[in-house]
Amino acid sequence: MEVFGPIILVAFLQAGMIISPGSDYALVMRTVGRQGKTAGMLTALGLGLGAFSLLLLSVFGINSLFTHYPFLVTIISYAGAVWLIWQAILCFLPKDKAPKLHNLGSFWTGFTNHFINIEMVIFYIVIISQLSSRDVTTSIQLMIATEMALFTAIWFILISHLTGKIPNKDKVLDSLAIRITFGLLFLMSAVTLIKIT
């Protein structure tokens, strides 16, 4: 029973973070609107794999790397901000002017969006550090990492599926108001990353 306590606590913490709208939502919904539901679901899987990769790095000590080389946090923050600004620019472009990605490109876009998000890196480091300080074994930490990554992927697959059901989704999601809203979400995320450093 002791195993389930940390898993349930982490699941609630992560649910609060993932469910709150941000650039991940904009990315998935924009992808569905421009390339279809399959591409959106592949983006969601990329987000999940990005989460899992960060979690694995957290379990195996990326925090010590940041302790010894604090400039890496700055580098990742600025790389993430540049990425998010680029995504904002893509949002501001209408569908017919935006570059088209193949499905694998959608997957890697999701992965990159999550993997270089320093907010997520810090969140995962804090969670895993707390588990380590409570003597939670590495195997349990890996179970928790797997749960968190699966939750991320499944949540955004659901968002992709629901977005695909929007009537006239191509026109709705390519409207100027929605493009500006999505672009602003990316820009706000970029500003947040820069403020972290």
Side-chain angles (χ1 to χ4, degrees), residues 12-29:
F12 278 115
L13 285 172
Q14 189 207 16
M17 187 166 192
I18 293 295
I19 289 173
S20 59
S23 64
D24 297 344
Y25 277 82
L27 183 66
V28 170
M29 293 177 78

Side-chain angles (χ1 to χ4, degrees), residues 40-41 47 51 102 123 125 141 145 147 157 175:
M41 289 184 179
L47 291 167
H102 50 78
F123 174 74
I125 286 173
Q141 290 178 37
E147 174 276 320
I157 286 171
S175 69

